[in-house]
Amino acid sequence: MSDTMTKEAAETVIAEARGRIDGLDGEILDLLRRRIAVSAEVQTARIAAGGPRLSLTREMEILDRYRTALGRPGTEIAMLMLELCRGRV
């Protein structure tokens, strides 16, 4: 059995996969918006209790979790996500 496919078959696979990617991207964006909102809750509560706006220890835990799961690029993804979630309060 050959691993080759016709151009038309490949285009069908690509179009279907791109549709799934677009759906996943929508879910990721929704999750990021939700995470931003939850982070704002945490920051508001921390500030109301007289604490700092953010916790570097907590951020290091998050960076480590993403690095462990995704390797070095995971750290970069986590840094960008944390930047999105900081300072909204």
Side-chain angles (χ1 to χ4, degrees):
M1 184 166 118
S2 174
D3 286 339
T4 62
M5 65 172 60
T6 66
K7 182 177 180 180
E8 292 79 19
E11 288 173 355
T12 299
V13 169
I14 291 167
E16 194 275 332
R18 284 181 175 165
R20 290 194 325 260
I21 287 170
D22 291 345
L24 290 167
D25 284 345
E27 290 179 44
I28 291 167
L29 290 170
D30 182 53
L31 288 169
L32 282 170
R33 283 189 287 270
R34 289 169 50 196
R35 191 188 193 290
I36 289 167
V38 173
S39 291
E41 287 180 42
V42 170
Q43 290 175 40
T44 299
R46 193 180 297 121
I47 291 168
R53 184 172 49 86
L54 57 95
S55 166
L56 295 178
T57 301
R58 175 68 175 151
E59 289 197 356
M60 293 306 294
E61 292 171 2
I62 293 165
L63 291 170
D64 186 54
R65 182 181 321 130
Y66 276 71
R67 182 179 55 254
T68 298
L70 302 172
R72 189 177 58 79
T75 302
E76 295 173 41
I77 291 169
M79 288 294 294
L80 292 170
M81 181 189 60
L82 290 169
E83 183 179 338
L84 280 171
C85 295
R86 280 188 207 123
R88 300 286 178 165
V89 176

